[in-house]
Amino acid sequence: MVKSVLLSFLFTASATALNNGVGKLPKLGFSTWNVFQCDYDADMILSQAQALVDHGLVEAGYDTMMIDDCYSLKERDSCGKIVADPKKFPNGMRNLTDTLKAMGLQAGIYSDAGYKTCGGYPGSYGHEAQDLKTFDEWGFHYLKYDNCFIPFDNVTQENGYGRYKRMADAIEERAKGANSTLFQLALCQWGWQQPWTWAGRLGQSWRVGGDIRPWWSALAGIINQASFIATETDFYSRNDFDMLEVGNTDQGTPPGNLTFDEAKSHFTAWALLKSPLLIGSDLTNASPETVEILGNKDILKISQDPNVGESIAPFRWGLNPDYTFDPVHPAAYWTGNSSYGVVFMVLNSLDTPQEMSFNLTESWAIRAGRVYSVYDMWSHTENGTVMRDMSFTLPPHGVAALLLNDAGPEPAGMEPYCAGYWQCSFPNGTYYSN
């Protein structure tokens, strides 16, 4: 349990990160919302928790059970306290969180900056400190904070930032007390007011759009949006692209219609963009392929890199000119740094197989004039070395996730002398031309 911690705010020119001792790395876990909506109880939650354990996903790092909306009665008690639904939780919330803890899982809970939650249950506006005390007593450590039933402007005389700041201030104040939990705050702000420009002052993650759907067009639209804001992510401060729909495939649990190639692309993009990874599909019926995707340790170690907080970002759009906003065909070529090598993600947004190719030095993290070893994070194999260029074929909506590491200088006397030709010059000032 995290004890009383002095909060500090770190400001940078491009983004602001809240470094308060929690949430340095993206959260991994399971969420009740996409699986159950409001139709769940303690037994259902524990069955998903047991599936996390049985599939080896707790061991892989999925250590949080997130209980979303609809866990309480519709009315507070006479003292203004939120009351857990006794039919859903007959043994109480503390019993549930203690049971989860014994299984190796922490617990997260949901509330709202308005009068009610999006499901119509009590929101925390005007009850921030009281509700936080309740959540702490119940054994929770992570708070997803939504944005429904917003008070009139003339009531709050605040903007969205001000209403969220109320809960952030309550978290800071509560952390000063003895034996109090410092909550990790995840803002569910839907992209209104561009939260990636300010939400890091208050919490550790922020939603960038509406609720995800388990079909390719929804994923492509989110990846397109991510193309323009990927650089806003770092330690303690990250874009949240909503839950993982990996298990909702055409060979798995209905009603989703993702292919397994699409599910792999979904997981790869979310993990390498360092979004929180909260599973939104039924794990009790998970196929071996779904478990394999969710448990990809090579990709998860990039998500959970202890030394590099920033995510991958596009270096070329591919089908479209660079910086084209296209929710059907987002950026195809992405790169970034990691503790384990230079990361590349290549995405085929088309409905047919495609030959994908790029020059290594299009990545800022690659050194020119060098040979690189290639590790495939999906086949988990070392695939020899490359020099200057790479090409391969991807299936429809498929993905490649690669780690490249310097393997020494290019052989002497290689022509052409430059990986790219723009203003490449001999010592006498003569440009090299292909």
Side-chain angles (χ1 to χ4, degrees):
M1 177 177 290
V2 181
K3 303 299 183 182
S4 179
V5 177
L6 177 64
L7 299 181
S8 62
F9 294 84
L10 304 181
F11 294 91
T12 66
S14 61
T16 306
L18 176 64
N19 176 359
N20 63 3
V22 299
K24 177 181 178 180
L25 300 175
K27 177 64 67 180
L28 274 60
F30 177 91
S31 172
T32 60
W33 183 251
N34 286 27
V35 182
F36 301 119
Q37 302 282 295
C38 292
D39 186 18
Y40 65 87
D41 58 21
D43 288 340
M44 292 179 182
I45 291 169
L46 292 174
S47 70
Q48 296 296 325
Q50 188 60 54
L52 278 171
V53 173
D54 293 343
H55 292 313
L57 294 175
V58 173
E59 183 182 0
Y62 293 88
D63 65 355
T64 296
M65 178 60 65
M66 173 66 209
I67 300 172
D68 212 291
D69 206 351
C70 314
Y71 56 82
S72 73
L73 298 181
K74 286 289 184 78
E75 302 295 334
R76 295 173 179 269
D77 69 12
S78 59
C79 296
K81 185 176 180 178
I82 291 178
V83 180
D85 187 333
K87 291 183 179 179
K88 291 183 175 182
F89 305 101
N91 297 315
M93 280 292 199
R94 188 71 198 208
N95 177 271
L96 175 64
T97 60
D98 284 347
T99 303
L100 290 170
K101 185 177 180 181
M103 300 170 75
L105 288 156
Q106 302 171 328
I109 199 163
Y110 168 97
S111 192
D112 192 285
Y115 293 121
K116 295 183 179 181
T117 69
C118 296
Y121 294 81
S124 289
Y125 175 73
H127 294 267
E128 289 85 1
Q130 182 181 30
D131 289 353
L132 199 65
K133 181 176 184 291
T134 297
F135 301 150
D136 195 355
E137 291 170 348
W138 284 351
F140 292 95
H141 79 291
Y142 176 86
L143 176 62
K144 174 183 174 182
Y145 209 46
D146 218 331
N147 195 37
C148 288
F149 292 94
I150 300 166
F152 293 131
D153 288 343
N154 67 341
V155 174
T156 67
Q157 297 184 28
E158 296 169 340
N159 209 331
Y161 176 87
R163 288 189 297 276
Y164 279 115
K165 189 174 185 298
R166 288 168 170 258
M167 183 55 80
D169 288 346
I171 290 172
E172 179 179 2
E173 187 61 30
R174 184 158 188 79
K176 297 175 182 177
N179 301 317
S180 291
T181 301
L182 180 58
F183 276 70
Q184 183 173 336
L185 181 61
L187 307 185
C188 187
Q189 218 269 345
W190 317 337
W192 183 64
Q193 290 187 328
Q194 298 182 327
W196 48 89
T197 65
W198 57 266
R201 295 177 171 87
L202 305 178
Q204 287 79 16
S205 62
W206 50 85
R207 276 276 296 280
V208 301
D211 289 351
I212 197 171
R213 294 292 183 266
W215 44 79
W216 177 252
S217 60
L219 304 182
I222 294 170
I223 295 170
N224 171 66
Q225 190 173 13
S227 303
F228 299 91
I229 59 174
T231 55
E232 297 301 325
T233 283
D234 210 331
F235 289 136
Y236 303 102
S237 183
R238 62 192 56 86
N239 296 305
D240 178 355
F241 301 113
D242 205 12
M243 286 163 242
L244 286 172
E245 292 284 358
V246 166
N248 291 325
T249 70
D250 57 2
Q251 301 175 52
T253 304
N257 62 350
L258 297 179
T259 69
F260 277 109
D261 284 322
E262 290 168 345
K264 287 169 62 176
S265 296
H266 174 25
F267 175 79
T268 302
W270 266 234
L272 299 186
L273 281 159
K274 304 205 173 178
S275 171
L277 302 179
L278 294 176
I279 300 167
S281 54
D282 185 356
L283 291 176
T284 62
N285 294 318
S287 67
E289 293 86 354
T290 293
V291 175
E292 179 185 2
I293 292 171
L294 292 170
N296 185 319
K297 293 183 179 180
D298 285 326
I299 291 179
L300 287 174
K301 75 179 183 181
I302 307 299
S303 163
Q304 301 294 297
D305 191 328
N307 304 308
V308 179
E310 67 266 21
S311 79
I312 59 171
F315 62 85
R316 177 155 51 90
W317 260 241
L319 185 67
N320 291 312
D322 289 352
Y323 307 107
T324 298
F325 190 93
D326 184 346
V328 178
H329 301 297
Y333 297 93
W334 303 65
T335 192
N337 200 10
S338 81
S339 297
Y340 315 100
V342 180
V343 181
F344 284 87
M345 181 180 79
V346 182
L347 184 73
N348 175 18
S349 65
L350 296 174
D351 300 334
T352 56
Q354 295 295 313
E355 181 81 6
M356 313 294 289
S357 62
F358 59 93
N359 186 301
L360 299 188
T361 59
E362 290 182 81
S363 168
W364 64 268
I366 289 290
R367 297 172 63 194
R370 310 290 291 182
V371 175
Y372 279 81
S373 64
V374 180
Y375 181 79
D376 187 315
M377 290 189 279
W378 277 111
S379 66
H380 313 292
T381 56
E382 297 284 354
N383 291 356
T385 59
V386 292
M387 185 177 67
R388 300 186 181 178
D389 300 293
M390 284 197 74
S391 63
F392 40 79
T393 300
L394 289 179
H397 307 161
V399 72
L402 308 170
L403 271 178
L404 271 64
N405 278 285
D406 193 319
E410 292 182 356
M414 291 291 297
E415 289 194 51
Y417 301 111
C418 301
Y421 306 108
W422 174 248
Q423 294 196 346
C424 186
S425 173
F426 290 100
N428 65 4
T430 303
Y431 282 127
Y432 181 91
S433 59
N434 185 22

